[in-house]
Amino acid sequence: MKQKEYKEVTPILSRMEAQVTTLTQLINDLLDVSKIQMERFDYTDEQLDIDAVIREVVETL
């Protein structure tokens, strides 16, 4: 590949990686739901950076 092609592909691969991460989290969330339904769920509170979430959604769309 030429360097120009790398520059075009890199942002696409980054978005794909972000989507894979999102899907992985969704699967984990669904597994958590099944654990909740079976009353076997442990959780830890975490802070959420809402600005980062909104930026990521905007970039994805």
Side-chain angles (χ1 to χ4, degrees), residues 29-52:
D29 290 346
L30 291 171
L31 289 171
D32 288 344
V33 168
S34 69
K35 289 177 185 177
I36 290 169
Q37 291 174 338
M38 294 173 25
E39 298 179 359
R40 296 182 182 170
F41 181 73
D42 294 321
Y43 71 93
T44 306
D45 287 337
E46 295 180 12
Q47 288 200 351
L48 174 67
D49 183 356
I50 193 71
D51 291 333

mmCIF file of all heavy atoms in Angstrom, residues 29-52:
data_model
loop_
_atom_site.group_PDB
_atom_site.id
_atom_site.type_symbol
_atom_site.label_atom_id
_atom_site.label_comp_id
_atom_site.label_asym_id
_atom_site.label_seq_id
_atom_site.Cartn_x
_atom_site.Cartn_y
_atom_site.Cartn_z
ATOM 1 N N ASP A 29 -22.974 -6.449 28.508
ATOM 2 C CA ASP A 29 -24.170 -5.937 29.173
ATOM 3 C C ASP A 29 -25.308 -6.955 29.120
ATOM 4 O O ASP A 29 -26.032 -7.151 30.099
ATOM 5 C CB ASP A 29 -24.620 -4.618 28.549
ATOM 6 C CG ASP A 29 -23.677 -3.466 28.846
ATOM 7 O OD1 ASP A 29 -22.819 -3.616 29.746
ATOM 8 O OD2 ASP A 29 -23.790 -2.431 28.164
ATOM 9 N N LEU A 30 -25.464 -7.597 27.972
ATOM 10 C CA LEU A 30 -26.502 -8.620 27.847
ATOM 11 C C LEU A 30 -26.229 -9.806 28.766
ATOM 12 O O LEU A 30 -27.154 -10.376 29.363
ATOM 13 C CB LEU A 30 -26.623 -9.090 26.396
ATOM 14 C CG LEU A 30 -27.200 -8.056 25.428
ATOM 15 C CD1 LEU A 30 -27.073 -8.551 23.995
ATOM 16 C CD2 LEU A 30 -28.641 -7.738 25.768
ATOM 17 N N LEU A 31 -24.968 -10.167 28.888
ATOM 18 C CA LEU A 31 -24.612 -11.235 29.828
ATOM 19 C C LEU A 31 -24.925 -10.816 31.263
ATOM 20 O O LEU A 31 -25.404 -11.633 32.063
ATOM 21 C CB LEU A 31 -23.137 -11.595 29.686
ATOM 22 C CG LEU A 31 -22.765 -12.328 28.394
ATOM 23 C CD1 LEU A 31 -21.239 -12.430 28.277
ATOM 24 C CD2 LEU A 31 -23.400 -13.698 28.332
ATOM 25 N N ASP A 32 -24.681 -9.548 31.575
ATOM 26 C CA ASP A 32 -25.009 -9.038 32.910
ATOM 27 C C ASP A 32 -26.513 -9.120 33.166
ATOM 28 O O ASP A 32 -26.944 -9.454 34.270
ATOM 29 C CB ASP A 32 -24.518 -7.604 33.079
ATOM 30 C CG ASP A 32 -23.006 -7.509 33.197
ATOM 31 O OD1 ASP A 32 -22.358 -8.553 33.447
ATOM 32 O OD2 ASP A 32 -22.472 -6.395 33.012
ATOM 33 N N VAL A 33 -27.311 -8.813 32.144
ATOM 34 C CA VAL A 33 -28.769 -8.890 32.296
ATOM 35 C C VAL A 33 -29.186 -10.317 32.638
ATOM 36 O O VAL A 33 -30.020 -10.536 33.520
ATOM 37 C CB VAL A 33 -29.487 -8.398 31.014
ATOM 38 C CG1 VAL A 33 -30.971 -8.741 31.045
ATOM 39 C CG2 VAL A 33 -29.302 -6.902 30.857
ATOM 40 N N SER A 34 -28.581 -11.271 31.950
ATOM 41 C CA SER A 34 -28.933 -12.657 32.259
ATOM 42 C C SER A 34 -28.499 -13.021 33.682
ATOM 43 O O SER A 34 -29.198 -13.766 34.374
ATOM 44 C CB SER A 34 -28.326 -13.626 31.239
ATOM 45 O OG SER A 34 -26.929 -13.682 31.354
ATOM 46 N N LYS A 35 -27.364 -12.491 34.138
ATOM 47 C CA LYS A 35 -26.933 -12.736 35.514
ATOM 48 C C LYS A 35 -27.910 -12.109 36.509
ATOM 49 O O LYS A 35 -28.203 -12.696 37.555
ATOM 50 C CB LYS A 35 -25.532 -12.188 35.759
ATOM 51 C CG LYS A 35 -24.441 -12.970 35.066
ATOM 52 C CD LYS A 35 -23.094 -12.312 35.303
ATOM 53 C CE LYS A 35 -21.988 -12.971 34.529
ATOM 54 N NZ LYS A 35 -20.702 -12.272 34.720
ATOM 55 N N ILE A 36 -28.389 -10.907 36.186
ATOM 56 C CA ILE A 36 -29.361 -10.237 37.053
ATOM 57 C C ILE A 36 -30.621 -11.090 37.154
ATOM 58 O O ILE A 36 -31.169 -11.295 38.244
ATOM 59 C CB ILE A 36 -29.697 -8.826 36.528
ATOM 60 C CG1 ILE A 36 -28.498 -7.904 36.701
ATOM 61 C CG2 ILE A 36 -30.930 -8.253 37.231
ATOM 62 C CD1 ILE A 36 -28.627 -6.580 35.988
ATOM 63 N N GLN A 37 -31.065 -11.591 36.014
ATOM 64 C CA GLN A 37 -32.272 -12.410 36.008
ATOM 65 C C GLN A 37 -32.092 -13.684 36.826
ATOM 66 O O GLN A 37 -33.043 -14.196 37.416
ATOM 67 C CB GLN A 37 -32.674 -12.751 34.575
ATOM 68 C CG GLN A 37 -33.174 -11.555 33.808
ATOM 69 C CD GLN A 37 -33.427 -11.847 32.345
ATOM 70 O OE1 GLN A 37 -32.889 -12.787 31.780
ATOM 71 N NE2 GLN A 37 -34.258 -11.023 31.729
ATOM 72 N N MET A 38 -30.867 -14.180 36.878
ATOM 73 C CA MET A 38 -30.583 -15.391 37.657
ATOM 74 C C MET A 38 -30.157 -15.048 39.082
ATOM 75 O O MET A 38 -29.776 -15.927 39.851
ATOM 76 C CB MET A 38 -29.483 -16.208 36.964
ATOM 77 C CG MET A 38 -29.934 -16.740 35.635
ATOM 78 S SD MET A 38 -28.658 -17.555 34.620
ATOM 79 C CE MET A 38 -27.462 -18.128 35.742
ATOM 80 N N GLU A 39 -30.182 -13.752 39.426
ATOM 81 C CA GLU A 39 -29.804 -13.249 40.747
ATOM 82 C C GLU A 39 -28.360 -13.611 41.102
ATOM 83 O O GLU A 39 -28.048 -13.947 42.242
ATOM 84 C CB GLU A 39 -30.780 -13.746 41.805
ATOM 85 C CG GLU A 39 -32.192 -13.249 41.555
ATOM 86 C CD GLU A 39 -33.182 -13.743 42.587
ATOM 87 O OE1 GLU A 39 -32.806 -14.498 43.507
ATOM 88 O OE2 GLU A 39 -34.355 -13.363 42.466
ATOM 89 N N ARG A 40 -27.464 -13.495 40.129
ATOM 90 C CA ARG A 40 -26.041 -13.780 40.348
ATOM 91 C C ARG A 40 -25.157 -12.633 39.870
ATOM 92 O O ARG A 40 -24.064 -12.839 39.367
ATOM 93 C CB ARG A 40 -25.634 -15.052 39.590
ATOM 94 C CG ARG A 40 -26.317 -16.275 40.071
ATOM 95 C CD ARG A 40 -25.830 -17.467 39.335
ATOM 96 N NE ARG A 40 -26.550 -18.651 39.778
ATOM 97 C CZ ARG A 40 -26.475 -19.810 39.193
ATOM 98 N NH1 ARG A 40 -25.717 -19.962 38.129
ATOM 99 N NH2 ARG A 40 -27.154 -20.828 39.648
ATOM 100 N N PHE A 41 -25.623 -11.436 40.031
ATOM 101 C CA PHE A 41 -24.935 -10.268 39.478
ATOM 102 C C PHE A 41 -24.230 -9.479 40.567
ATOM 103 O O PHE A 41 -24.828 -9.140 41.591
ATOM 104 C CB PHE A 41 -25.938 -9.369 38.763
ATOM 105 C CG PHE A 41 -25.329 -8.158 38.131
ATOM 106 C CD1 PHE A 41 -24.569 -8.267 36.994
ATOM 107 C CD2 PHE A 41 -25.505 -6.907 38.673
ATOM 108 C CE1 PHE A 41 -24.005 -7.154 36.397
ATOM 109 C CE2 PHE A 41 -24.951 -5.783 38.092
ATOM 110 C CZ PHE A 41 -24.197 -5.916 36.956
ATOM 111 N N ASP A 42 -22.958 -9.183 40.348
ATOM 112 C CA ASP A 42 -22.197 -8.270 41.198
ATOM 113 C C ASP A 42 -21.843 -7.053 40.355
ATOM 114 O O ASP A 42 -21.527 -7.188 39.184
ATOM 115 C CB ASP A 42 -20.898 -8.925 41.686
ATOM 116 C CG ASP A 42 -21.172 -10.096 42.610
ATOM 117 O OD1 ASP A 42 -22.105 -10.002 43.428
ATOM 118 O OD2 ASP A 42 -20.450 -11.095 42.499
ATOM 119 N N TYR A 43 -21.883 -5.877 40.947
ATOM 120 C CA TYR A 43 -21.551 -4.679 40.178
ATOM 121 C C TYR A 43 -20.678 -3.728 40.988
ATOM 122 O O TYR A 43 -20.619 -3.791 42.198
ATOM 123 C CB TYR A 43 -22.809 -3.952 39.706
ATOM 124 C CG TYR A 43 -23.572 -3.276 40.826
ATOM 125 C CD1 TYR A 43 -23.336 -1.947 41.136
ATOM 126 C CD2 TYR A 43 -24.502 -3.964 41.569
ATOM 127 C CE1 TYR A 43 -24.021 -1.326 42.158
ATOM 128 C CE2 TYR A 43 -25.204 -3.360 42.596
ATOM 129 C CZ TYR A 43 -24.957 -2.047 42.884
ATOM 130 O OH TYR A 43 -25.633 -1.432 43.898
ATOM 131 N N THR A 44 -20.020 -2.847 40.247
ATOM 132 C CA THR A 44 -19.199 -1.805 40.832
ATOM 133 C C THR A 44 -19.604 -0.483 40.193
ATOM 134 O O THR A 44 -19.691 -0.388 38.966
ATOM 135 C CB THR A 44 -17.702 -2.063 40.551
ATOM 136 O OG1 THR A 44 -17.378 -3.371 40.988
ATOM 137 C CG2 THR A 44 -16.831 -1.050 41.251
ATOM 138 N N ASP A 45 -19.875 0.521 41.008
ATOM 139 C CA ASP A 45 -20.198 1.845 40.470
ATOM 140 C C ASP A 45 -18.978 2.429 39.773
ATOM 141 O O ASP A 45 -17.849 2.305 40.255
ATOM 142 C CB ASP A 45 -20.636 2.801 41.578
ATOM 143 C CG ASP A 45 -22.019 2.486 42.101
ATOM 144 O OD1 ASP A 45 -22.801 1.852 41.379
ATOM 145 O OD2 ASP A 45 -22.322 2.889 43.235
ATOM 146 N N GLU A 46 -19.206 3.073 38.627
ATOM 147 C CA GLU A 46 -18.136 3.744 37.900
ATOM 148 C C GLU A 46 -18.630 5.112 37.462
ATOM 149 O O GLU A 46 -19.804 5.291 37.173
ATOM 150 C CB GLU A 46 -17.741 2.944 36.651
ATOM 151 C CG GLU A 46 -17.138 1.602 36.938
ATOM 152 C CD GLU A 46 -16.761 0.864 35.666
ATOM 153 O OE1 GLU A 46 -16.770 1.482 34.579
ATOM 154 O OE2 GLU A 46 -16.461 -0.323 35.757
ATOM 155 N N GLN A 47 -17.701 6.058 37.385
ATOM 156 C CA GLN A 47 -18.069 7.368 36.876
ATOM 157 C C GLN A 47 -18.122 7.320 35.356
ATOM 158 O O GLN A 47 -17.377 6.578 34.718
ATOM 159 C CB GLN A 47 -17.067 8.412 37.327
ATOM 160 C CG GLN A 47 -17.188 8.716 38.795
ATOM 161 C CD GLN A 47 -16.571 10.054 39.139
ATOM 162 O OE1 GLN A 47 -15.921 10.682 38.332
ATOM 163 N NE2 GLN A 47 -16.798 10.491 40.357
ATOM 164 N N LEU A 48 -19.003 8.124 34.788
ATOM 165 C CA LEU A 48 -19.190 8.169 33.344
ATOM 166 C C LEU A 48 -18.812 9.554 32.836
ATOM 167 O O LEU A 48 -19.299 10.565 33.350
ATOM 168 C CB LEU A 48 -20.650 7.865 32.996
ATOM 169 C CG LEU A 48 -21.045 7.998 31.545
ATOM 170 C CD1 LEU A 48 -20.347 6.929 30.711
ATOM 171 C CD2 LEU A 48 -22.540 7.875 31.401
ATOM 172 N N ASP A 49 -17.940 9.586 31.848
ATOM 173 C CA ASP A 49 -17.568 10.851 31.209
ATOM 174 C C ASP A 49 -18.541 11.084 30.060
ATOM 175 O O ASP A 49 -18.334 10.625 28.940
ATOM 176 C CB ASP A 49 -16.128 10.786 30.698
ATOM 177 C CG ASP A 49 -15.664 12.099 30.095
ATOM 178 O OD1 ASP A 49 -16.479 13.048 30.007
ATOM 179 O OD2 ASP A 49 -14.483 12.172 29.717
ATOM 180 N N ILE A 50 -19.642 11.775 30.356
ATOM 181 C CA ILE A 50 -20.713 11.965 29.376
ATOM 182 C C ILE A 50 -20.232 12.738 28.147
ATOM 183 O O ILE A 50 -20.676 12.471 27.034
ATOM 184 C CB ILE A 50 -21.956 12.616 30.022
ATOM 185 C CG1 ILE A 50 -23.175 12.528 29.097
ATOM 186 C CG2 ILE A 50 -21.685 14.055 30.374
ATOM 187 C CD1 ILE A 50 -23.731 11.165 28.947
ATOM 188 N N ASP A 51 -19.296 13.685 28.336
ATOM 189 C CA ASP A 51 -18.755 14.430 27.198
ATOM 190 C C ASP A 51 -18.062 13.491 26.214
ATOM 191 O O ASP A 51 -18.245 13.604 24.999
ATOM 192 C CB ASP A 51 -17.769 15.504 27.661
ATOM 193 C CG ASP A 51 -18.457 16.636 28.416
ATOM 194 O OD1 ASP A 51 -19.655 16.871 28.160
ATOM 195 O OD2 ASP A 51 -17.789 17.267 29.241
ATOM 196 N N ALA A 52 -17.294 12.558 26.729
ATOM 197 C CA ALA A 52 -16.592 11.600 25.865
ATOM 198 C C ALA A 52 -17.583 10.698 25.143
ATOM 199 O O ALA A 52 -17.410 10.400 23.952
ATOM 200 C CB ALA A 52 -15.614 10.770 26.683
#
